[in-house]
Each structure stands twice: as structure tokens, then as C-alpha cells.
Amino acid sequence: MTIERTFSIIKPDAVAKNIIGEIYHRFECAGLHIIAAKMLHLSQEQAAGFYAEHKGKPFYDNLLKFMTSGPIVVQVLEGQDAIRRHRELLGSTDPEKAQAGTIRADHAISVTQNAVHGSDSAESAAREIEFFFTEDEICPRTR
Ligand code: DAT
Ligand code: MG
């Protein structure tokens, strides 16, 4: 297994529920290290750029409305097999289908307000990290 980096968002619903630390705790317990982090409020343009792949889908307008509705926390996670393991912690997109004990099963309100985002491939991770972070905002681990 290789050490990977992946990109994560704590979405507006989870920030509003005051569970940033609860979610960070799950990452840390799973051996994922937070190597960059910040809180921000997405503009319409930023949200559209980030979710460009979903433009034209029936849920797109609601997704942008939700993602710009309040602050989010974005982070880069690093660890062994980080992309797949992070996605496993999140659970399925629809919280009703998410495996018990996952973040979405425990905390998501609906398929739109689903608490968290995680990159789904190495290509998405690279693109999404670069979308939110400059190289000098990422802090390599001291081992
Ligand atoms: P994921 O976030 O699990 O990678 P995705 O990339 O397919 O899922 O979709 C991005 C987001 O768009 C998802 O987190 C919530 C929203 N979304 C996806 N499918 C939806 C649907 N059928 N109805 C409402 N919102 C949806
Ligand atoms: Mg996705």
C-alpha cells in the first residue's frame, strides 16, 4: 500500500451541527493525518468550479445552494490507502444507504445535506487539493 493524499470537506450542515472535531477524530482514529486545513465560505463561482462535473444534473442547483449556504472546512488528509479509506469512513452518498457507523449514516440530514465530501480517485484528489490549497499551505508530516 502506498501513502496517498486525499481531499476532504466538512460541509455546511456538519459545521452548523458543531461536529468538526467529531469528524476529525474519526480521521485521526483511522490513521489519516490532517496535513492542511482551513475554514471558508464558498462563493457561487467557487462552488460551480468545484462541482463542474455535475453541471446539468437535476440536483446541481440545490447542491450549489447548499454548499454556499454556510461555512465549510476543507482539509488534505494523508495516510496509507487514504483515498479509499476516507471514502469508507464517509459512507454512501445517500445516508439511507450508508453503512452503519459511517459519518453519513450517523450525521447526514439528506442526500444533499450529507455532511462530508471525499475525493473518489487519485485524479480527483490531485485536482481537488490544487483547487483549494497552494503547495506552501500543505505541511508535510514530521516523522
Ligand atoms: P459523493 O459526494 O458521494 O462523491 P457525488 O459525487 O455523486 O457523490 O455527488 C456530489 C454531491 O452531489 C453529493 O455529495 C450530494 C449531491 N448529490 C449527488 N447525487 C444526488 C441526488 N441524487 N440527489 C441530491 N443530491 C445529490
Ligand atoms: Mg463525488
Side-chain angles (χ1 to χ4, degrees):
M1 283 197 286
T2 48
I3 301 285
E4 292 175 338
R5 289 180 179 181
T6 191
F7 175 73
S8 156
I9 303 178
I10 301 177
K11 294 185 178 183
D13 58 322
V15 173
K17 282 168 81 177
N18 204 23
I19 54 170
I20 297 167
E22 205 278 320
I23 293 171
Y24 272 16
H25 186 58
R26 292 181 186 228
F27 296 157
E28 292 172 344
C29 289
L32 297 175
H33 295 252
I34 298 156
I35 60 166
K38 59 189 166 191
M39 181 178 270
L40 63 139
H41 195 139
L42 285 179
S43 66
Q44 193 69 20
E45 294 67 35
Q46 283 174 307
F50 184 74
Y51 281 117
E53 66 183 293
H54 295 299
K55 193 168 166 48
K57 293 184 184 170
F59 58 81
Y60 177 76
D61 288 349
N62 273 344
L63 176 63
L64 260 53
K65 194 172 167 198
F66 166 59
M67 289 301 293
T68 57
S69 68
I72 61 171
V73 182
V74 294
Q75 45 280 322
V76 179
L77 306 177
E78 187 179 75
Q80 287 209 338
D81 209 9
I83 297 165
R84 184 185 58 78
R85 291 173 68 203
H86 179 220
R87 290 283 297 193
E88 280 176 8
L89 292 180
L90 306 193
S92 300
T93 310
D94 180 348
E96 290 192 4
K97 296 183 186 140
Q99 193 189 0
T102 59
I103 295 170
R104 283 168 167 167
D106 289 346
H107 295 300
I109 297 164
S110 67
V111 66
T112 302
Q113 300 187 44
N114 64 0
V116 277
H117 166 87
S119 308
D120 61 9
S121 66
E123 294 70 32
S124 311
R127 182 185 74 81
E128 292 172 0
I129 290 169
E130 200 187 311
F131 189 91
F132 281 101
F133 292 97
T134 59
E135 199 51 48
D136 65 3
E137 289 176 316
I138 301 172
C139 302
R141 275 191 286 159
T142 47
R143 295 170 208 270

